Amino acid sequence: MFVGKVNLSTMFPEGLSFKALNDFSDGSMVSHLGIEFIELGKDYLKAKMPVDHRTKQPLGLLHGGASVVLAETLGSGAASLVLDAKKQYAVGLEINANHIKSVKTGFVYGTAKPLHIGSKTHVWEVKIKNEADSLVCVSRITMAVLDLKK
């Protein structure tokens, strides 16, 4: 399957270490919220996030902003993985989220899949589900692809 000019069956680099992905986020909001990359397929990137004191709002439910952080983390990470890091990088341009179901405990799992991979923009869909595999939030993020300054 192709999205734009990208063959999804060969989209992500082989042999990528989750330790390297997770270490890259050390000391950032990503690690502070306990987000951990856990799975990489040919056309998706998956991470989990705890529903605990760091990610809940005062009523004891998963904070919608935490869901958006998970979605942006996945969209940004996935976009970065398909770029040549020596030439380009990706930054968030726009994100939206529809919060569908509340979560009080456990983990949520986000999966990013590409909708559009272009030379200057990417669009990624991120579905966040609870431990029972029910949809909690669906998000779409547009990434701007920028060239590194020489």
Side-chain angles (χ1 to χ4, degrees):
M1 178 181 173
F2 287 83
V3 172
K5 298 177 184 173
V6 176
N7 180 347
L8 293 183
S9 66
T10 60
M11 188 167 69
F12 291 128
E14 296 211 13
L16 185 65
S17 151
F18 288 112
K19 182 175 180 347
L21 275 175
N22 290 313
D23 285 352
F24 182 71
S25 300
D26 195 37
S28 71
M29 179 184 279
V30 176
S31 65
H32 176 71
L33 294 183
I35 296 171
E36 180 183 353
F37 294 103
I38 59 170
E39 195 174 323
L40 179 68
K42 290 294 185 187
D43 69 340
Y44 69 91
L45 180 61
K46 187 172 184 176
K48 71 178 185 176
M49 180 176 68
V51 180
D52 64 15
H53 67 282
R54 298 169 290 179
T55 59
K56 288 182 182 180
Q57 41 103 312
L59 294 176
L61 306 174
L62 176 64
H63 194 293
S67 294
V68 173
V69 171
L70 177 57
E72 181 140 0
T73 299
L74 281 161
S76 296
S80 295
L81 291 175
V82 300
L83 297 175
D84 180 346
K86 294 176 184 167
K87 297 179 183 176
Q88 295 179 308
Y89 63 103
V91 296
L93 189 60
E94 190 274 339
I95 190 166
N96 67 47
N98 295 100
H99 307 290
I100 298 164
K101 189 173 208 163
S102 63
V103 181
K104 293 182 179 182
T105 61
F107 284 88
V108 289
Y109 299 85
T111 304
K113 290 189 168 200
L115 298 175
H116 165 75
I117 304 290
S119 61
K120 293 296 175 191
T121 61
H122 292 185
V123 179
W124 294 83
E125 178 182 69
V126 180
K127 290 184 178 177
I128 300 172
K129 296 183 176 184
N130 63 16
E131 292 178 318
D133 205 36
S134 296
L135 190 61
V136 170
C137 177
V138 63
S139 180
R140 188 179 61 233
I141 182 168
T142 302
M143 303 298 299
V145 177
L146 303 174
D147 295 327
L148 287 171
K149 303 285 187 221
K150 295 180 181 185

